[in-house]
Amino acid sequence: HMSQAEPSQEDSSPAGLLAAYDAAHDELGSPPQSRVRAALEGAAQRGTPLTHLALRSAGVGSQGAQAVAEVLSRDTNLTQVSLEDNALGDDGAAAIARGLNGHPSVFRLNIGYNEITGRGLRGVAELVAAGGPLLCLDLSGNNFYQNVAVAMVAPAGMSPLAPLGRALASAECRLQLLLLDQADVDAKSLAALVDGLLRNTSLVNLRLGENNIDARSASLIGKLLRGNTALTSLDLRDNKLADAGAATLAAALAANSSLKCLVLWSNGIAEQGAAAVASVLSEQPSLRILDLGGNAVGVSGVEALKAALLRNRSLHTLGLANAQLGHEGGIALAGAIEGNAHLTRLDLRRNSLHVAGLMALRLAMKTNSALLEVAVDTAFVGEATEDRELEQSFAAEIKAACAANKDRTHNEASAVPGEAAAALGGTDPSRPDSSGGSRALDLLARKGLPAAEPTAEAGGAESGAVSHPFSQPFPATAAECRALGRARLQALGVAEAAIDVPLLGAAAPPPPPPPPPRVRVMQWNLLARGMASDGFEVEDVLAEPPADDESAAVARAARNLSAVVDPLARWARVREAVAAYSPDLIAVQELDWLSEAIGGLAALGYECGGSGAPPYAPPHTQLKPTPADEPPPLASYLAVLEASGRAFAPKVPSVCRQLKVAAGEASDAACDDGICLFWKSGAWEAAAPVEYCGSSNAAGRCRAHLRVRLRRIADGAPLTAVVAHLGSGSSAGAEALRLAELEAPTTLLAPHVLGEPRREVAGPSLLGCMREAVAANEPTLLCLDANSEPDRADRAAGSVWAAVRGVEGVRSVWEEWFDSSGAPTGAAAAQPVSTNKRRGQLSRQPAKVDEHACRLIDHVFYTAPTLALPEHAFGPVAFADEAAALAAPLPSLAVPSDHYPVVVDLLLQPAAEVGAEATPENGGLASGGEGAAAEEEEAAAAAATASAEAAEAAGIEAAAAAAVAAGAATAAGA
């Protein structure tokens, strides 16, 4: 084994860690592993310590683990280490454990699928027992089996998992999450694990999926549920409990008051087992999530669940996907939906509900105001065309009813209560009557619909592919999003001709997403819901003809705006645009409904980080006044963002939330608007934790720009995205403030050191991010609503465009129309715009009434030559004159925001290929980026750029002072 020096300040620097890694391999006589060295070398080049070492399937091996352990023993900054699927073996696992012994900050360790046995687990168990920072441990896919002959005679205390059980019993243990899926956990090892957990007070989440746990071993799980009061989540998916095991667990569950989530997916449980679980559900006080999917629950099982759900007051999520319900089970469940006011999420996919079941559920939803998500699908095999159409219609109406409930819950819709339900052909859901679901069930029974046979799709070999729970909320396609939006607009009385406008007003359908190495990027200010009703002048879209009198005209204008900016319809249109254009990355501003965005975009295959984080809560609810000895407000704000792990940074407090509260929304429920980055989760992954580069002003308002480092899964290509939103205002003073924002210093939180308060360290400015990227040859995007157009009349005094383009190596997707100083190139008769709006007399901002804002203020800048050859997938939008622009104002039913999206395809050029000869494989990129023409344009603009920068340096302070004197700075800040 390698000798390991004590950590020192010198050794723990990024360069020191790289040197230690190379020296370790020299001593071992083996070459460094390329991905490990690349990660360490990148950190050394940036001068930024690594906080996340992600080396899944990197071929580290047992010997390579010795060198990685040498790095871990010297490091003081890492927080997460992932070494899954690296053939570490027992010796490698022991080395990693030794390397982490005494580490101050690694809280998550993943060494799953590494051929580790009980021998290699001993060192890991010592790490758990030591009580250091380790909170999350993944040991899935390892070989903790025991020889059958030995297992028959050896006590549980000699089983492979016995050391881990003893570690969990340690008073020093702080572990909270333990994953042991597919780990060959036999009865003796399970007994040792349970014995340790009976004395454990820290572990809250335990996963034991796919371990052949059967009815005989269920008594051990029952013992755990009776004796442990810390565990809140237990995942037993894909085991073999059967009815007898389910009954054993149910009996233990009756004595448990701490478990909140129980997953029993695919355990061979039939109707009797489901009924046993249901029998204790009636009085069980703590359970919030129950998944019985993948089991043969059947009709009688659903009947038992129905009776329990009518009495249960705690369960909010129930998984019954692929549970062989049939249409009779759907009808039975509809009766439970009618009377349950607590269930909010229900998964009924792959159940062959057919027309009868879906119709019953659709009618039951008319009297249910609690369900926010019901996942259903349709089974088309062997059905008549008219039945398929009915199923699709009923499924769409169920989803629309859930959307209406969500709208009502968040108090965000401007329509009167019950309007959405009325659009579905029903009554006001707030006033149930005899025409509701019970009458519908009687009609179905009299109709005598035949029982439906389960289809191959519903119950066949593919059933295991159903994700759990609710990982794919509906709608999940552009067509479904459009159908949902259409239903909502019809409910609001919008004319059919207005509803049928093309998406984003585009004359042609979206081009298909480009294959790698090209990347599609969408930049979009989504218009915060709290700002959407601010008196925008919009097109008349209502179906009923206008009245003649003036008072009716004012009321019509208000109703018309309410329909155009309706949150449900707008959100459906946004998702339709995302599904249609299928960008790799989505950078947004003015997002003030993150919780819905996470679920809605997850259905389309996107994420914004925060895997495993608690459910989203508005940051302002977690930022309470603190005593003088607590961290300052900015540090608290950054800590809240970092704890979420999501690429989202709101302004706290924001004008948006103030307007929401003034309109009657509860203060804790009202979200601030902020910036966010989403990426395709199947194509990209986070390569490092999100960086929140924060700042605050004298009034205590906190904000941040985001820097998110991603990696393309297919080829490992890196791509960094920086997202920001600069202050508003069109005056010279407002522009001066924005220029100051570009160079303003920011604050980051230093990596956590156990036992010490978090320290604030200097972070990069926006322009600093781009300079660092160019210096490191790191492909980087800057996506922002700059509130500033390139060709400002006062650009000679400095502009945002000229400042960003003035960073050597930074280009823009708009430079076909503007040179580096912002002067129009004359390439087109009409210049592109990204916003086209005017506020009328109903606006709450008197200074902006009648101001026509038709400008190019949304930008995507990129570092060249690692990114190149931009092509616009949407637009650009341009108008011949002001009259043409005023005839198509935003927001509209075609464009659900007061900004158009910027959608561009860029060539992501690996650093190793920059300067290579142009080939079809690299997208035709020749040496020197975009060629001699681009170089000549740069040279011609150099003098103008230098003049603009000089004017900026000399004039910012004077311009800002003049703005304050004129009273403009306050308006700009708002």
Side-chain angles (χ1 to χ4, degrees):
H1 298 302
M2 295 290 303
S3 59
Q4 294 172 2
E6 290 297 317
S8 70
Q9 189 65 36
E10 181 181 359
D11 289 337
S12 65
S13 70
L17 295 181
L18 177 60
Y21 180 71
D22 287 342
H25 269 289
D26 287 344
E27 186 176 338
L28 289 165
S30 61
Q33 204 286 325
S34 59
R35 277 183 54 191
V36 180
R37 197 180 192 287
L40 296 173
E41 187 175 30
Q45 290 175 347
R46 292 191 301 270
T48 304
L50 281 175
T51 58
H52 185 185
L53 191 61
L55 296 172
R56 179 182 180 184
S57 305
V60 173
S62 176
Q63 190 177 45
Q66 314 292 329
V68 173
E70 182 72 11
V71 172
L72 296 177
S73 71
R74 298 166 182 266
D75 173 77
T76 59
N77 295 291
L78 281 167
T79 60
Q80 301 181 59
V81 175
S82 176
L83 291 166
E84 181 179 312
D85 187 27
N86 273 290
L88 299 181
D90 289 337
D91 291 339
I96 296 299
R98 287 195 304 275
L100 288 173
N101 186 19
H103 195 285
S105 55
V106 170
F107 70 87
R108 183 185 293 270
L109 174 62
N110 180 354
I111 49 173
Y113 299 91
N114 269 298
E115 305 167 17
I116 302 169
T117 71
R119 181 171 67 86
L121 184 61
R122 293 169 193 160
V124 179
E126 291 175 3
L127 196 63
V128 172
L134 190 63
L135 302 178
C136 310
L137 177 61
D138 190 346
L139 293 169
S140 299
N142 286 304
N143 309 324
F144 302 127
Y145 61 85
Q146 194 170 24
N147 180 280
V148 176
V150 175
M152 291 179 64
V153 296
M158 294 180 63
S159 65
L161 285 184
L164 182 60
R166 289 189 288 271
L168 290 168
S170 166
E172 305 299 322
C173 175
R174 299 179 60 212
L175 200 67
Q176 297 181 14
L177 170 67
L178 176 60
L179 277 63
L180 281 165
D181 294 330
Q182 291 184 316
D184 293 325
V185 179
D186 62 15
K188 292 288 180 69
S189 280
L190 182 60
L193 194 68
V194 169
D195 285 345
L197 287 173
L198 290 177
R199 289 179 284 170
N200 179 278
T201 58
S202 66
L203 198 78
V204 296
N205 193 325
L206 175 63
R207 286 183 53 162
L208 289 166
E210 298 184 69
N211 278 300
N212 292 317
I213 298 173
D214 56 17
R216 291 172 297 179
S217 297
S219 60
L220 294 169
I221 303 295
K223 180 181 178 182
L224 174 64
L225 292 177
R226 285 187 174 92
N228 180 290
T229 59
L231 200 65
T232 61
S233 178
L234 178 61
D235 191 331
L236 296 170
R237 72 181 70 194
D238 293 299
N239 279 297
K240 298 179 178 180
L241 292 173
D243 284 346
T248 300
L249 290 189
L253 196 61
N256 182 286
S257 60
S258 58
L259 196 70
K260 292 180 170 58
C261 174
L262 178 60
V263 178
L264 297 175
W265 170 271
S266 187
N267 260 283
I269 299 171
E271 297 182 349
Q272 290 182 351
V277 174
S279 67
V280 300
L281 196 60
S282 302
E283 307 300 330
Q284 220 287 337
S286 65
L287 204 62
R288 304 287 188 268
I289 300 170
L290 174 63
D291 186 7
L292 284 168
N295 296 296
V297 173
V299 177
S300 65
V302 170
E303 289 287 357
L305 285 169
K306 171 185 173 181
L309 289 173
L310 291 175
R311 295 191 295 272
N312 181 276
R313 294 294 180 269
S314 65
L315 199 73
H316 64 63
T317 298
L318 177 61
L320 288 171
N322 193 32
Q324 300 182 24
L325 302 186
H327 78 271
E328 293 180 351
I331 293 172
L333 205 53
I337 288 175
E338 286 184 284
N340 186 289
H342 302 278
L343 201 65
T344 60
R345 310 177 87 189
L346 180 61
D347 191 348
L348 297 175
R349 289 171 293 168
R350 298 192 179 220
N351 272 301
S352 299
L353 298 175
H354 295 282
V355 172
L358 288 169
M359 182 177 180
L361 292 167
R362 171 252 191 185
L363 292 173
M365 286 299 298
K366 294 182 183 298
T367 59
N368 181 289
S369 59
L371 273 167
L372 307 180
E373 196 173 320
V374 178
V376 295
D377 52 18
T378 52
F380 293 162
V381 179
E383 292 188 344
T385 301
E386 61 179 15
D387 286 346
R388 294 202 299 267
E389 292 175 350
L390 277 173
E391 288 188 19
Q392 288 177 311
S393 175
F394 291 157
E397 291 180 13
I398 291 168
K399 296 167 195 173
C402 290
N405 284 346
K406 187 177 293 185
D407 176 34
R408 189 179 303 108
T409 300
H410 290 88
N411 194 26
E412 292 173 329
S414 56
V416 296
E419 194 169 27
L424 303 177
T427 57
D428 185 340
S430 64
R431 296 179 297 163
D433 56 26
S434 60
S435 64
S438 297
R439 180 184 175 194
L441 302 187
D442 293 339
L443 290 172
L444 286 170
R446 287 202 298 272
K447 185 177 179 181
L449 288 171
E453 293 296 325
T455 66
E457 179 182 359
E462 295 181 359
S463 62
V466 178
S467 51
H468 150 87
F470 301 100
S471 61
Q472 296 181 345
F474 288 85
T477 66
E480 287 180 334
C481 295
R482 187 169 184 83
L484 182 62
R486 166 179 283 277
R488 179 62 177 170
L489 291 173
Q490 288 172 335
L492 297 172
V494 174
E496 288 295 325
I499 295 175
D500 288 335
V501 293
L503 175 66
L504 303 181
R518 296 189 76 82
V519 178
R520 178 164 292 176
V521 180
M522 176 181 278
Q523 148 64 33
W524 203 355
N525 181 316
L526 294 178
L527 178 58
R529 291 181 179 177
M531 315 275 246
S533 299
D534 192 29
F536 290 105
E537 292 184 355
V538 297
E539 297 177 88
D540 194 328
V541 299
L542 299 179
E544 65 181 45
D548 293 333
D549 60 293
E550 186 174 342
S551 61
V554 174
R556 181 183 180 86
R559 284 186 55 219
N560 200 60
L561 176 60
S562 178
V564 170
V565 301
D566 176 78
L568 286 180
R570 284 208 301 130
W571 182 219
R573 198 61 152 166
V574 168
R575 285 177 290 175
E576 182 188 354
V578 170
Y581 283 89
S582 190
D584 290 273
L585 277 64
I586 312 167
V588 300
Q589 295 82 26
E590 286 197 27
L591 179 63
D592 62 341
W593 64 96
L594 181 65
S595 57
E596 292 176 53
I598 291 171
L601 293 180
L604 303 177
Y606 292 87
E607 64 169 300
C608 62
S611 176
Y616 171 76
H620 75 271
T621 62
Q622 304 170 60
L623 295 172
K624 305 300 182 184
T626 56
D629 59 341
E630 291 292 318
L634 180 59
S636 301
Y637 165 78
L638 293 174
V640 169
L641 299 187
E642 189 178 275
S644 79
R646 300 180 176 95
F648 176 66
K651 296 169 283 190
V652 180
S654 67
V655 173
C656 170
R657 182 161 64 87
Q658 292 168 1
L659 292 174
K660 287 180 173 182
V661 174
E665 189 168 340
S667 178
D668 279 356
C671 295
D672 291 284
D673 71 295
I675 57 175
C676 193
L677 183 76
F678 289 89
W679 56 89
K680 276 187 178 176
S681 54
W684 297 84
E685 62 184 0
V690 177
E691 289 185 41
Y692 309 93
C693 305
S695 61
S696 61
N697 60 17
R701 184 192 201 188
C702 298
R703 64 190 303 167
H705 63 258
L706 301 171
R707 181 158 64 174
V708 186
R709 289 186 167 92
L710 302 171
R711 180 189 301 109
R712 187 159 53 196
I713 294 172
D715 57 7
L719 179 60
T720 297
V722 179
V723 186
H725 188 184
L726 303 184
S728 65
S730 57
S731 69
E735 185 73 351
L737 293 174
R738 286 189 288 268
L739 285 168
E741 278 188 74
L742 290 178
E743 291 284 22
T746 65
T747 297
L748 295 170
L749 288 185
H752 179 67
V753 177
L754 190 65
E756 297 182 9
R758 298 299 296 275
R759 293 183 298 107
E760 298 177 39
V761 296
S765 66
L766 276 170
L767 292 187
C769 287
M770 301 308 287
R771 293 189 188 105
E772 289 178 12
V774 172
N777 211 23
E778 182 179 4
T780 299
L781 300 162
L782 172 57
C783 305
L784 77 163
D785 173 359
N787 273 304
S788 175
E789 64 272 36
D791 57 337
R792 290 178 57 88
D794 58 357
R795 62 181 181 276
S799 69
V800 170
W801 169 274
V804 181
R805 285 285 282 111
V807 176
E808 184 179 357
V810 173
R811 310 293 293 269
S812 167
V813 301
W814 299 120
E815 59 190 47
E816 177 182 345
W817 293 269
F818 305 95
D819 67 20
S820 57
S821 72
T825 61
Q831 295 172 8
V833 299
S834 64
T835 186
N836 177 36
K837 59 189 174 185
R838 184 162 75 171
R839 290 176 171 86
Q841 298 300 319
L842 298 177
S843 174
R844 290 165 289 187
Q845 302 182 69
K848 295 186 178 182
V849 170
D850 291 334
E851 176 190 356
H852 183 204
C854 186
R855 304 180 290 156
L856 179 65
I857 61 176
D858 295 272
H859 301 275
V860 177
F861 297 97
Y862 60 93
T863 55
T866 52
L867 289 160
L869 301 177
E871 296 178 357
H872 287 263
F874 165 70
V877 176
F879 297 101
D881 51 38
E882 185 176 21
L886 288 172
L890 300 182
S892 67
L893 297 185
V895 183
S897 172
D898 58 342
H899 291 242
Y900 293 103
V902 180
V903 188
V904 291
D905 297 338
L906 288 152
L907 177 68
L908 175 56
Q909 178 83 332
E913 297 178 13
V914 171
E917 182 180 354
T919 67
E921 288 73 19
N922 67 20
L925 179 64
S927 176
E930 298 189 26
E935 292 177 359
E936 290 173 5
E937 182 228 323
E938 288 295 319
T945 302
S947 298
E949 289 176 336
E952 170 193 334
I956 288 179
E957 292 186 6
V964 172
T970 302

